[in-house]
Amino acid sequence: MWTHKAWQGRFLAHPLPAHERLRHYAGWCTAVEGNTTFYATPTRDTVASWAQQTDDDFRFVLKLPKTVTHERRLTHADEPLRAFLDAIEPLGPRAHALWIQLPGSFAPADVPVLARFLRTLPADHRYAVEVRHPAFFDDPRAVRLLEDALATVAAEWIPFDTTAFFRSPPSSDAERDAWVKKPRVPLRTAALTDRPVVRYLGRDDTARTVEGWRHWVDVTAGWLREGRSPTVFVHTPDNADAPLLARRFHDEVRARVPELEPLPQPIPVEPLTLF
């Protein structure tokens, strides 16, 4: 997302060479979703550039390639998985969690496949799983089955909260596009580990986005008081204001938990002058 056109010249200086864009994004937010890794595994040189542009405590939540999760459905995927793990090695501690997003057709009956897959993964990474099949939200037995599988390797369950988005019909092209693409699943706010990850989708209207995240401010503040270290990603359908919204969310949580570290100061979009 650090190359998002809507941010260039507004949140990020423009033009910027490719090897500087992430560094400027990291002045706004201290974590990023690695969604592009779902479509193609980057080269080690590219990943090394990401490491060079970020501090050791910057958080990458990187999605496993779709070859592994969707095409091979976690079976016979050793080769693409090995290539992915090798490619991201330069990130070191910045690889906060590897994100296993499963297709909507991945049902409770498939949980044993997930459990076997998780047990084969290297223990030097942490893992977080996102499921979209309705049964994982409606059937208590399916919930327990998945939570038990995740617990064996201390993996987290990522909730993707779209409840605020689907509360009323879309009113923009971006919202209409998201309306047919994003999953409709019930709200889940339970954390399984000390490093929960949340994905929240609001609306293009800022007031409605902020209203929809109120419960997450409460939940996140509670997690912090419990000693957990959550990562929260704030989205809107067009993502035009996402960095600003993420900082606003952080400020609201920090108002509840003052000991939370402030976010960094963004790199100025325009050079500073004396006048």
Side-chain angles (χ1 to χ4, degrees):
M1 284 300 296
W2 59 81
T3 60
H4 193 43
K5 288 183 179 180
W7 301 349
Q8 297 175 18
R10 185 178 171 214
F11 300 125
L12 314 179
H14 180 73
L16 278 174
H19 64 275
E20 286 287 315
R21 294 169 187 165
L22 175 55
R23 185 171 72 87
H24 282 241
Y25 168 88
W28 282 88
C29 300
T30 54
V32 72
E33 287 182 346
N35 191 57
T36 59
T37 56
F38 179 72
Y39 300 100
T41 295
T43 67
R44 278 181 66 98
D45 287 346
T46 295
V47 176
S49 172
W50 298 349
Q52 291 162 7
Q53 295 177 67
T54 53
D55 294 335
D56 287 350
D57 58 354
F58 187 88
R59 299 180 176 190
F60 288 84
V61 178
L62 297 172
K63 193 184 292 189
L64 261 61
K66 65 178 180 180
T67 304
V68 175
T69 57
H70 286 56
E71 296 173 7
R72 302 191 184 184
R73 296 174 69 90
L74 309 183
T75 60
H76 308 297
D78 292 353
E79 184 178 341
L81 177 63
R82 190 180 304 112
F84 173 78
L85 294 173
D86 179 70
I88 66 169
E89 190 274 334
L91 289 179
R94 300 168 187 81
H96 182 73
L98 302 189
W99 169 18
I100 304 168
Q101 185 187 82
L102 296 170
S105 59
F106 198 94
D110 299 307
V111 169
V113 176
L114 172 64
R116 286 194 297 272
F117 177 76
L118 291 171
R119 288 195 296 268
T120 67
L121 295 173
D124 54 348
H125 285 293
R126 295 179 69 119
Y127 303 94
V129 175
E130 180 185 339
V131 292
R132 297 186 171 186
H133 193 284
F136 290 118
F137 303 89
D138 300 334
D139 183 351
R141 293 171 298 178
V143 172
R144 288 195 299 271
L145 186 67
L146 179 57
E147 288 182 344
D148 289 347
L150 298 176
T152 60
V153 294
E156 188 54 83
W157 180 339
I158 299 180
F160 186 16
D161 180 11
T162 61
T163 55
F165 175 72
F166 284 114
R167 200 162 288 154
S168 58
S171 58
S172 70
D173 288 342
E175 289 186 350
R176 280 186 283 273
D177 183 61
W179 194 264
V180 298
K181 292 180 178 178
K182 303 303 181 183
R184 300 190 188 204
V185 294
L187 178 65
R188 175 185 166 84
T189 59
L192 303 181
T193 72
D194 63 342
R195 292 205 263 183
V197 179
V198 173
R199 307 181 66 223
Y200 167 72
L201 176 66
R203 299 292 294 251
D204 287 338
D205 177 78
T206 296
R208 295 171 72 184
T209 296
V210 172
E211 178 61 29
W213 77 34
R214 294 298 183 198
H215 62 278
W216 285 115
V217 173
D218 296 336
V219 170
T220 304
W223 284 340
L224 289 165
R225 295 188 192 104
E226 293 169 356
R228 303 179 199 260
S229 183
T231 305
V232 179
F233 295 110
V234 176
H235 291 277
T236 65
D238 64 11
N239 279 317
D241 295 325
L244 200 61
L245 289 166
R247 293 179 73 88
R248 179 169 175 176
F249 181 88
H250 186 276
D251 287 344
E252 290 193 15
V253 174
R254 194 161 178 253
R256 308 278 190 92
V257 188
E259 61 270 28
L260 178 63
E261 288 290 326
L263 290 172
Q265 286 299 313
I267 299 171
V269 175
E270 298 293 340
L272 296 177
T273 66
L274 296 177
F275 306 101

